[in-house]
Amino acid sequence: MRRIGVIGAGYVGLTTAACFAHLGHRVVCADVDRRRVARLCRAEVDLHEPGLARLVAEGLREGRLRFVVGNREALSDVDFVFVCVPTPTGEDGSADLSAVRAVLREARELMAPDAVLVIKSTVPAGTTDRAAAEMEGHQVVSNPEFLREGHAVQDFLQPQRVVVGASVESAALRVLDLYSGTGAPVMVTTPTSAELVKYASNCFLAMKLSYVNALAELCEQIGADIGDVTEGMSLDDRIGASFLTPGPGWGGSCFPKDTKALLSTAESVDVDFSLLRATIDTNEHQPQRVVEKVRELLGPVEGRRIGLLGLAFKAGTNDLRDSPALAVAELLAEQGARLAGYDPCVDHGPVPVVSSVEEAATGASALLVLTEWPEFAELDWPDLASRMARPVIVDTRNLLPRDKVTEAGFTLLSLGTPASTTRPTTAGL
């Protein structure tokens, strides 16, 4: 059992604290938000993250997890300090490290000499080495997180890999020992390489999504079907099936800031990363493309009621940060549309939120599927059609059962799919 301090109680920090406590360590998790800490002390978790509330309650009940306001307790009298503070996009596109620097200033004064400071926040390459120089002899290690929102507990306790970057091997081994209960594959490298692993992974996935969105637009223009194209691609084990579904764009807390940060890093050392720039540009084009599809079906949207199905940036979370659904909503609102949004895990937001799909559909001239919640594929289509001013759906996630929707009288427009597609039979092959 080790004593661990976690700085920050957001997605990464809270998951890290609760999961380490579950693995048998003693953890104190610090945050500057008094209201958040008070709620966590009562085992009240606001994040929609399966299993997380249960682990928080377990840790509190068994005395292995505590939450405090301010960092002093989490920095002193511990064996490890995990830095899990935000690194948002700065005005110039680079990562804003002000929260990390603030923790380092405190840690330099409060940490025990033999304690290890572990940077789990996503930081630009070279940050850990610079932090080590500032920490005056303290061991500083990079240990990037690879947590998917909606799967964070699973990803922590059953990780695909644990990456540790350290200049001193003994410090790396001490950190790896904390994860011994997970049985995960491990990789030890330099701090700079570990930091870049995180950015490189996220940016590659973002690139894959932008590629398939551009491919979907091409399919529409030449009469191909993106579903058939990606199915054929996915049979190649060099490509695989993940991240090959078109959508209204990618968002969330990681991809937007990480692509900009890596591009900023490349530009700072005069590396022409035009592929990453194109990835960002393609993504920024997607919300406008969705609005154009709505206008293709309705004409001007001014004064028309439009129902938005899904507000979170992806299914399985209530996170609205950089959500493409909200980017689409903003463009529609600018053109005078009257919006009604429904999401099973969001009860408020920057657009009017209603309590059901039926309420969103009532009087609407169109429904837009913007988040891939599975329940949206199993709706009462005849009932929804009867409620709407015009039975029109734009399915930006290619989620809906085309035959059932069109049989109910809807006009259905999907991404990367021509208006009519005749698939050849495979009988006799």
Side-chain angles (χ1 to χ4, degrees):
M1 181 183 69
R2 297 290 184 267
R3 300 167 302 169
I4 298 174
V6 176
I7 310 298
Y11 266 102
V12 176
L14 183 57
T15 302
T16 298
C19 289
F20 272 143
H22 178 71
L23 292 174
H25 304 293
R26 288 197 171 276
V27 183
V28 54
C29 182
D31 200 276
V32 296
D33 188 330
R34 291 183 176 275
R35 178 181 176 277
R36 177 185 292 175
V37 169
R39 288 179 58 79
L40 289 173
C41 287
R42 300 192 298 268
E44 297 174 4
V45 177
D46 295 327
L47 305 176
H48 180 77
E49 199 61 56
L52 185 56
R54 176 178 59 81
L55 292 188
V56 169
E58 172 194 280
L60 290 170
R61 183 176 62 252
E62 298 185 3
R64 292 197 300 267
L65 178 61
R66 293 191 298 120
F67 296 97
V68 297
V69 177
N71 297 334
R72 177 172 290 273
E73 286 190 66
L75 290 171
S76 56
D77 197 31
V78 294
D79 304 306
F80 300 87
V81 173
F82 279 77
V83 181
C84 303
V85 296
T87 54
T89 302
E91 292 183 2
D92 61 354
S94 65
D96 180 353
L97 299 180
S98 57
V100 174
R101 294 192 186 100
V103 173
L104 292 178
R105 286 193 295 270
E106 284 189 87
R108 189 165 56 241
E109 303 298 325
L110 297 173
M111 279 179 59
D114 60 344
V116 179
L117 186 134
V118 185
I119 298 181
K120 190 167 274 292
S121 298
T122 302
V123 295
T127 301
T128 300
D129 284 339
R130 288 190 290 273
E134 295 176 15
M135 286 296 292
E136 301 174 353
H138 285 93
Q139 294 178 336
V140 183
V141 170
S142 171
N143 175 216
E145 54 87 12
F146 301 98
L147 306 178
R148 298 168 297 162
E149 290 190 31
H151 303 272
V153 170
Q154 175 188 342
D155 289 343
F156 194 102
L157 297 177
Q158 301 171 4
Q160 293 180 330
R161 77 279 205 197
V162 175
V163 176
V164 176
S167 300
V168 179
E169 184 180 15
S170 60
L173 295 177
R174 287 180 64 189
V175 173
L176 286 176
D177 185 59
L178 298 175
Y179 293 94
S180 59
T182 68
V186 300
M187 174 185 174
V188 177
T189 183
T190 65
T192 300
S193 294
E195 291 159 341
L196 195 55
V197 167
K198 173 58 187 290
Y199 279 110
S201 297
N202 276 356
C203 292
F204 179 80
L205 296 176
M207 206 175 299
K208 199 172 180 183
L209 288 171
S210 285
Y211 177 82
V212 79
N213 278 333
L215 197 60
E217 188 171 6
L218 177 62
C219 285
E220 294 167 12
Q221 296 302 316
I222 65 175
D225 187 293
I226 189 63
D228 291 345
V229 172
T230 55
E231 181 181 354
M233 292 170 63
S234 68
L235 297 174
D236 187 331
D237 58 14
R238 298 170 301 175
I239 298 174
S242 63
F243 288 80
L244 279 184
T245 303
W250 37 263
S253 63
C254 293
F255 285 8
K257 74 178 183 68
D258 289 356
T259 49
K260 292 174 183 175
L262 186 58
L263 185 61
S264 176
T265 297
E267 291 172 345
S268 72
V269 291
D270 295 323
V271 171
D272 181 8
F273 210 154
S274 54
L275 188 59
L276 187 53
R277 164 55 63 190
T279 296
I280 297 170
D281 290 344
T282 297
N283 190 61
E284 291 175 348
H285 167 62
Q286 296 312 304
Q288 183 60 51
R289 206 165 86 77
V290 172
V291 172
E292 289 170 359
K293 285 188 170 294
V294 177
R295 290 175 58 88
E296 178 183 329
L297 292 172
L298 300 183
V301 298
E302 184 176 4
R304 293 183 182 273
R305 179 179 169 89
I306 296 177
L308 310 178
L309 303 189
L311 299 173
F313 84 94
K314 70 171 186 176
T317 180
N318 58 356
D319 196 345
L320 299 178
R321 288 176 291 181
D322 280 308
S323 171
L326 298 186
V328 171
E330 182 177 2
L331 290 173
L332 289 170
E334 288 174 355
Q335 297 183 26
R338 298 183 296 112
L339 304 177
Y342 169 74
D343 189 293
C345 281
V346 177
D347 58 11
H348 66 279
V351 301
V353 175
V354 297
S355 59
S356 67
V357 173
E358 291 75 17
E359 191 175 351
T362 300
S365 296
L367 287 176
L368 274 64
V369 178
L370 295 170
T371 308
E372 71 282 17
W373 288 101
E375 66 188 66
F376 292 159
E378 301 175 353
L379 300 172
D380 186 337
W381 305 112
D383 176 68
L384 290 180
S386 70
R387 294 171 179 270
M388 296 179 66
R390 292 182 62 180
V392 168
I393 296 181
V394 177
D395 179 8
T396 73
R397 297 289 185 169
N398 291 10
L399 177 70
L400 307 185
R402 177 172 290 275
D403 291 345
K404 291 182 179 180
V405 172
T406 55
E407 285 173 7
F410 279 98
T411 299
L412 173 63
L413 198 59
S414 302
L415 297 187
T417 305
S420 61
T421 302
T422 302
R423 289 180 170 81
T425 179
T426 57
L429 293 182

